Amino acid sequence: MGKYVIAGNWKMNKTPAEATALINELKPLVANASCDVIVGVPFVDLPAALEATAGTNIGVAAQNCHWKESGAYTGEISAAMLKAMGVGTVILGHSERRTYFGDTNETVAQRVRGALDAGLNVILCVGEYLEQREQGVTGEVVAMQTKIALGGVSEEELKRVIIAYEPVWAIGTGKTATAEQANEVCALIRATVAGLYNDAAAKALTIQYGGSMNAGNAADLLAQPDVDGGLIGGAALKANDFSIIVAAAK
Ligand code: PEP
């Protein structure tokens, strides 16, 4: 993984045929990107996305995985299964999974462990709810999420982890964190990682901002010294908008 990474999180959108069409539209627009580009697609779109991105500079991510390799877990998909089909990355701990599907810091840590053991790269999402920001505990919340998820992750394995700072109040709401707010928390995450490992590991870590990043505000957010990329929801569903964000990540 390079330092700057722009990843799309398509959430529960696009059929396989629509995924192929969107990726085909995107390919020429991001062919000369100076950052890494990833599309995070629904499980059923993974074969189509892998086929459409073959031989291109676009990587493919899943949006979740189970921590066990196999077993009696109806409806779940393991990291080993993703790896076997050629998926490179998995998004873990997204706030929608924490809010609607019961993911906790502990199960996110288990998923991170399972994904790294299977050889996947991880985009680990952390971020505070609006009430937590208003109570002044953003730093504590994000540091705790980071520390628990990285418990047991070695410095070598950390090279396969990206952390995405996603304030929950900014996801899908159109309310973006200001560039200063985004940078402040990304810097805090970096300091937390420096405390867990060392300065060099923290400096090498890619920290993304996510939360209503779009073609209009990306350049400002991505210009911040501690923001090394973006995790993009809504704007990732429009090839042109997504490519403008990719172009802004220099
Ligand atoms: C996301 O889903 O991770 C996200 C940041 O969504 P949006 O860009 O739509 O706020």
Side-chain angles (χ1 to χ4, degrees):
M1 286 185 291
K3 176 77 170 166
Y4 281 78
V5 183
I6 299 292
N9 173 25
W10 291 8
K11 312 190 192 224
M12 194 175 71
N13 292 293
K14 304 292 178 188
T15 64
E18 290 167 346
T20 300
L22 178 53
I23 290 169
N24 284 339
E25 205 185 332
L26 190 61
K27 280 194 278 197
L29 300 177
V30 302
N32 297 317
S34 49
C35 63
D36 285 4
V37 181
I38 296 174
V39 289
V41 307
F43 286 129
V44 296
D45 293 347
L46 288 168
L50 288 166
E51 195 183 325
T53 57
T56 74
N57 62 332
I58 304 175
V60 174
Q63 298 174 8
N64 188 29
C65 69
H66 197 268
W67 52 88
K68 288 279 177 73
E69 219 176 298
S70 62
Y73 300 99
T74 303
E76 290 296 310
I77 303 283
S78 77
M81 291 170 178
L82 297 173
K83 182 69 182 173
M85 70 187 297
V87 172
T89 304
V90 61
I91 299 168
L92 293 174
H94 192 281
S95 65
E96 287 153 15
R97 297 228 47 97
R98 294 179 192 255
T99 303
Y100 305 132
F101 303 106
D103 277 17
T104 63
N105 287 332
E106 289 70 28
T107 59
V108 170
Q110 287 178 282
R111 291 180 205 280
V112 169
R113 186 67 267 150
L116 291 173
D117 285 346
L120 295 175
N121 299 327
V122 169
I123 298 177
L124 164 68
C125 303
V126 299
E128 82 286 4
Y129 288 98
L130 183 58
E131 311 81 74
Q132 294 170 327
R133 175 162 283 267
E134 287 171 349
Q135 286 160 355
V137 295
T138 297
E140 285 91 334
V141 168
V142 168
M144 183 168 74
Q145 291 172 329
T146 302
K147 286 180 185 176
I148 294 175
L150 295 181
V153 173
S154 70
E155 189 180 339
E156 191 54 33
E157 289 171 329
L158 185 70
K159 294 177 185 157
R160 291 191 282 126
V161 177
I162 290 170
I163 298 183
Y165 167 55
E166 299 209 306
V168 184
W169 46 271
I171 298 180
T173 59
K175 249 192 212 176
T176 321
T178 64
E180 292 71 27
Q181 285 172 325
N183 191 63
E184 186 186 5
V185 183
C186 289
L188 186 144
I189 292 169
R190 204 178 300 283
T192 303
V193 170
L196 290 174
Y197 300 87
N198 54 59
D199 284 349
K203 198 166 170 226
L205 178 71
T206 296
I207 303 179
Q208 299 173 319
Y209 168 78
S212 299
M213 192 187 278
N214 58 41
N217 61 26
D220 194 20
L221 289 159
L222 293 167
Q224 298 302 308
D226 278 298
V227 178
D228 308 318
L231 183 56
I232 323 298
L237 297 172
K238 295 179 203 134
N240 201 48
D241 287 20
F242 189 66
S243 72
I244 291 171
I245 298 171
V246 167
K250 294 218 179 76

